């Protein structure tokens, strides 16, 4: 009977769909215990959790109120957009509401009245959370799809952006790229960024309204046309480098670069029929929780994984405090069907009490010392438990022992310091004359030149004499006729030769000249 219960419970994760359950209470021969599985949240309608930004300022129509018409009725320009009238306004939020039967609500841009200046608009969607796409992104345009647009994505909350897909009625002309279709991609090119012409051609504005980023078609490369063979997809996501990241985003941006033309050229005399109107943006995906959570909740304005397996963080991207005896790892879809939880382990639970503070995932037993010690400590740590910093590094006082940033490089100035080690507060040991935490400064009365040297001259005690000037505390530049470290010596006193033929050397020359004159006068007197 007990065995039957175990069997039934064992089957639960399979019956409920793949990777739905993080753990279950199973009864085995050794008694009941938890069993852990790789798990992920369900896919959701991500537009419900998004923040949107439309650029540039003033691109939304209605301020001031404006008339527009459609390609179907190009000469009946009686429609009005007025931001101050709720019935006639088209604010960005109408891209994310639920559509009532038959009545589309939409964001609308100003018209292309500034033609031929391009009509450009960016629509940026931000989740402040990494999302894994599970279905196509579908953007619905009323009154015609753009003839040129681009989809971009960010993986780091908008700090850096990458092209995701290009769309144009003529890819060569717009982006100098050949037109391709996602359906023609192969297993090795499933994450290629391409330009497609499928969603930009004019087909009558009522007929073809959607622009897609085809996630399903890319999945189908591995999982087959109806996504029946998901195991193969999950295996590929685990093994193909960059494939998982390709479907992961924190932000998306639609760059609208040219509106629908409704024909082959722009009619300058009727620019009121050119604009963008987006009624819906559907993004289906799940929170990225690194296979450590099956729930994701909206808290304090952002989505957050409800982490299991003793992990924590918005994406379950690290181990909980006191569960860091091994380095954190994402769960894995493999082996099928339940995957590997790769759970974080409590300090002291693994390897017979060998704590490595998460800086090593290997321990080794040293026979003659009878100790277990961590092997290959990472993050610049060392020691039996990776509890010290490597030489040349010091302990970061604001980091826990199991933090990746626990050791900070000393960075001692190579010339100014005795060696590259420092004390616990990061101070290096300085050579004579050098100072500062890193020994890259000089004490007062020292100057820096490949190290610190005592000043030869300065403006206070070591003044250059006789009108000499002090050059960078390194030497006195003496006037002609003087020498010595501080120009304190007259050349004349040292060597009589210097007294003659040295014109303009102040008083001493005068004296010499007078002497010569006196001699001559005496000579004349003798005559
Ligand atoms: C749209 O975003 C891109 C960056 O992705 C930026 O270079 C461009 O200036 C933006 N365009 C507008 C109209 O704000
Ligand atoms: C983004 O999410 C983090 C983690 O949940 C939160 O601390 C932060 O305030 C959020 N930022 C914004 C702009 O919502
Ligand atoms: C997480 O830690 C708790 C103790 O707080 C333990 O009962 C549980 O089994 C651990 N879970 C995993 C997956 O290791
Ligand atoms: C010290 O650790 C904290 C916490 O992890 C980190 O934010 C900080 O950047 C670290 N300091 C340095 C200098 O690495
Ligand atoms: C490190 O050295 C500096 C400078 O010599 C000193 O002020 C500081 O107290 C020292 N810190 C420790 C922990 O010894
Ligand atoms: Ca809508």
């Amino acid at each position: 009977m007990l065995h039957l219960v175990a069997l039934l419970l064992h089957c639960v994760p399979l019956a409920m769909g793949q990777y739905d359950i993080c753990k279950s209470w199973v009864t085995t021969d050794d008694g009941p215990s938890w069993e852990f599985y790789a798990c992920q949240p369900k896919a959701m309608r991500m537009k419900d959790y998004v923040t949107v930004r439309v650029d540039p300022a003033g691109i939304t129509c209605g301020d001031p109120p404006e008339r527009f018409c459609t390609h179907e009725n190009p000469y009946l320009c009686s429609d009005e957009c007025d931001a101050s009238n709720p019935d006639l306004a088209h604010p960005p939020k109408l891209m994310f509401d639920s559509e009532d039967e038959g009545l589309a609500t939409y964001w609308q841009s100003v018209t292309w009245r500034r033609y031929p200046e391009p009509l450009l608009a960016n629509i940026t969607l931000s989740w402040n959370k990494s999302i894994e796409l599970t279905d196509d992104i579908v953007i619905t345009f009323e009154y015609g799809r753009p003839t040129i647009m681009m989809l971009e994505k960010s993986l780091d909350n908008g700090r850096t952006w990458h092209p995701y897909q290009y769309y144009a009625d003529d890819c060569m002309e717009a982006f100098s790229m050949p037109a391709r279709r996602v359906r023609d991609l192969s297993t090795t090119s499933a994450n290629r960024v391409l330009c497609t012409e499928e969603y930009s051609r004019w087909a009558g504005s009522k007929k073809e309204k959607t622009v897609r980023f085809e996630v399903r078609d890319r999945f189908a490369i591995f999982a087959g046309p109806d996504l029946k063979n998901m195991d193969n997809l999950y295996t590929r996501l685990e093994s193909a480098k960059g494939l998982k990241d390709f479907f992961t985003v924190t932000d998306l941006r639609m760059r609208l670069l040219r509106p629908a033309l409704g024909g082959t050229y722009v009619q300058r005399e009727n620019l009121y029929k050119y604009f963008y109107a987006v009624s819906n943006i559907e993004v289906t995906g799940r929170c990225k929780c690194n296979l450590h959570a099956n729930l994701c909740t909206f808290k304090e304005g952002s989505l957050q994984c409800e982490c299991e397996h003793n992990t924590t963080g918005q994406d379950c991207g690290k181990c909980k405090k006191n569960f860091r005896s091994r380095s954190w790892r994402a769960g894995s879809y493999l082996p099928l069907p339940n995957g590997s939880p790769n759970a974080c382990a409590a300090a002291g639970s693994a390897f017979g009490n060998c704590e490595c503070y998460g800086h090593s995932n290997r321990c080794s037993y040293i026979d003659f010392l009878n100790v277990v010690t961590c092997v290959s400590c990472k993050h610049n740590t060392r020691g039996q438990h990776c509890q010290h910093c490597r030489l040349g590094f010091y302990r970061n006082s604001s980091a826990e022992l199991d933090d990746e940033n626990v050791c900070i490089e000393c960075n001692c100035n190579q010339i100014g310091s005795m060696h590259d080690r420092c004390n616990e507060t990061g101070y290096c040991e300085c050579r004579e004359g050098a100072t500062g935490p890193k020994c890259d400064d000089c004490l007062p009365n020292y100057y820096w030149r490949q190290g610190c040297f005592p000043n030869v001259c300065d403006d206070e005690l070591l003044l250059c004499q006789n009108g000499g000037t002090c050059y960078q505390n390194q030497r006195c530049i003496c006037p002609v006729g003087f020498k010595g470290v501080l120009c304190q010596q007259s050349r004349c006193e040292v060597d009589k030769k210097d007294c003659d033929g040295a014109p303009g050397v102040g008083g001493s020359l005068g004296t010499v000249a007078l002497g010569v004159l006196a001699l001559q006068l005496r000579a004349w007197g003798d005559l």
Side-chain angles (χ1 to χ4, degrees):
M1 186 60 209
L2 271 181
H3 282 85
L4 187 66
V5 173
L7 254 175
L8 279 175
L9 283 169
H10 235 96
C11 293
V12 167
L14 302 179
M16 290 193 56
Q18 251 171 322
Y19 308 112
D20 273 357
I21 279 191
C22 298
K23 60 180 175 192
S24 70
W25 185 242
V26 296
T27 317
T28 63
D29 287 344
D30 301 333
S33 67
W34 285 111
E35 200 164 272
F36 301 101
Y37 316 104
C39 53
Q40 60 188 5
K42 287 195 174 48
M44 311 192 278
R45 250 177 35 168
M46 285 296 166
K47 74 173 184 183
D48 297 344
Y49 309 100
V50 79
T51 42
V52 63
R53 191 192 148 94
V54 176
D55 288 307
I59 189 70
T60 300
C61 69
D63 183 19
E66 185 178 16
R67 291 195 173 278
F68 64 94
C69 37
T70 64
H71 293 294
E72 266 76 27
N73 274 318
Y75 302 105
L76 197 73
C77 298
S78 57
D79 286 334
E80 195 179 2
C81 176
D82 181 352
S84 63
N85 178 341
D87 291 335
L88 301 176
H90 294 282
K93 67 171 188 222
L94 297 182
M95 295 185 275
F96 306 98
D97 57 349
S98 354
E99 302 286 343
D100 290 333
E101 285 290 309
L103 197 70
T105 56
Y106 48 90
W107 166 79
Q108 186 176 320
S109 76
V110 295
T111 62
W112 203 357
R113 54 184 184 237
R114 291 240 178 86
Y115 178 86
E117 203 180 287
L119 181 63
L120 304 177
N122 285 352
I123 303 172
T124 307
L125 312 187
S126 306
W127 282 275
N128 190 26
K129 170 79 191 79
S130 35
I131 307 286
E132 292 165 344
L133 300 176
T134 57
D135 208 334
D136 292 3
I137 299 169
V138 185
I139 310 152
T140 310
F141 287 88
E142 304 296 322
Y143 309 114
R145 302 174 294 189
T147 44
I148 307 180
M149 73 170 261
M150 211 186 137
L151 184 65
E152 292 179 321
K153 71 170 227 182
S154 171
L155 254 172
D156 53 10
N157 293 315
R159 275 184 287 282
T160 57
W161 290 90
H162 311 277
Y164 216 8
Q165 190 145 308
Y166 297 86
Y167 302 86
D169 54 358
D170 184 336
C171 281
M172 240 340 154
E173 182 198 67
F175 297 112
S176 306
M177 291 169 82
R180 284 171 166 276
R181 294 185 311 173
V182 171
R183 287 197 290 284
D184 301 332
L185 293 176
S186 69
T187 50
T188 51
S189 59
N191 55 354
R192 176 168 296 172
V193 173
L194 48 76
C195 182
T196 173
E197 295 178 353
E198 278 189 76
Y199 305 103
S200 310
R201 294 226 165 106
W202 178 252
S205 64
K206 293 233 166 59
K207 264 170 73 188
E208 301 280 0
K209 294 172 134 189
T210 58
V211 172
R212 282 173 182 269
F213 178 79
E214 305 94 331
V215 172
R216 286 181 79 87
D217 283 349
R218 291 182 195 254
F219 282 176
I221 296 169
F222 307 107
D226 298 319
L227 303 187
K228 284 214 173 97
N229 188 0
M230 286 301 277
D231 280 359
N232 193 34
L233 173 64
Y234 285 130
T235 305
R236 284 304 188 122
L237 284 173
E238 235 15 277
S239 59
K241 201 167 179 288
L243 193 60
K244 234 186 211 176
D245 277 352
F246 180 78
F247 297 107
T248 308
V249 306
T250 56
D251 303 67
L252 289 168
R253 176 176 286 158
M254 278 128 250
R255 297 180 61 180
L256 311 181
L257 300 170
R258 195 176 67 193
L261 303 184
T264 42
Y265 64 96
V266 178
Q267 279 184 305
R268 302 191 72 134
E269 67 281 6
N270 185 359
L271 295 172
Y272 297 113
K273 61 178 180 174
Y274 304 112
F275 55 88
Y276 306 106
V278 178
S279 58
N280 194 41
I281 302 178
E282 206 63 57
V283 180
T284 310
R286 64 167 57 100
C287 291
K288 171 181 171 168
C289 302
N290 287 300
L291 294 174
H292 288 312
N294 61 356
L295 284 176
C296 186
T297 51
F298 196 60
K299 267 192 244 168
E300 290 145 20
S302 311
L303 288 166
Q304 288 193 11
C305 301
E306 301 277 337
C307 301
E308 300 269 0
H309 303 157
N310 292 311
T311 60
T312 186
Q314 211 188 8
D315 302 351
C316 309
K318 54 185 183 183
C319 291
K320 266 188 359 204
K321 230 182 141 187
N322 301 325
F323 286 91
R324 295 180 187 165
S325 68
R326 275 180 253 158
S327 296
W328 173 90
R329 282 167 69 199
S332 168
Y333 288 121
L334 303 177
L336 300 164
N338 287 330
S340 318
N342 294 335
C344 292
S349 72
F351 318 116
N353 254 343
C354 181
E355 162 89 86
C356 299
Y357 296 105
H359 303 307
S360 164
N361 35 29
R362 264 196 311 141
C363 284
S364 149
Y365 176 67
I366 302 178
D367 208 6
F368 67 96
L369 291 175
N370 188 29
V371 293
V372 179
T373 180
C374 305
V375 178
S376 316
C377 296
K378 289 184 292 185
H379 312 134
N380 304 309
T381 61
R382 66 178 176 95
Q384 187 187 354
H385 303 290
C386 307
Q387 79 276 35
H388 297 304
C389 288
R390 268 173 50 199
L391 291 184
F393 291 79
Y394 68 104
R395 175 77 200 272
N396 178 349
S397 58
S398 54
E400 302 275 347
L401 208 45
D402 52 11
D403 194 310
E404 282 190 16
N405 298 313
V406 68
C407 294
I408 304 173
E409 194 169 1
C410 290
N411 245 328
C412 300
N413 185 289
Q414 284 192 352
I415 298 167
S417 58
M418 308 280 278
H419 42 69
D420 59 6
R421 299 190 292 279
C422 54
N423 75 7
E424 296 95 279
T425 43
Y427 278 80
C428 304
E429 203 179 326
C430 299
R431 289 180 191 277
E432 194 209 322
T435 187
K438 307 298 166 201
C439 308
D440 49 5
D441 263 338
C442 290
L443 288 167
N445 303 322
Y446 284 80
Y447 69 93
W448 181 269
R449 185 164 172 249
Q450 310 281 340
C452 294
F453 294 92
N455 282 354
V456 173
C457 55
D458 60 27
D459 298 336
E460 291 161 21
L461 296 168
L462 299 166
L463 286 171
C464 300
Q465 310 285 303
N466 294 310
T469 51
C470 182
Y471 175 74
Q472 294 182 349
N473 301 108
Q474 295 175 20
R475 60 191 171 89
C476 290
I477 300 175
C478 300
V480 184
F482 290 94
K483 59 193 265 181
V485 175
L486 294 174
C487 314
Q488 75 278 24
Q489 266 180 324
S490 161
R491 288 178 182 274
C492 191
E493 281 162 29
V494 181
D495 187 345
K496 283 282 186 281
K497 266 193 301 173
D498 282 342
C499 304
D500 309 329
V505 188
S508 48
L509 179 71
T511 328
V512 174
L514 274 175
V516 172
L517 193 63
L519 279 174
Q520 287 215 329
L521 281 175
R522 207 180 302 151
W524 289 335
D526 288 351
L527 278 175

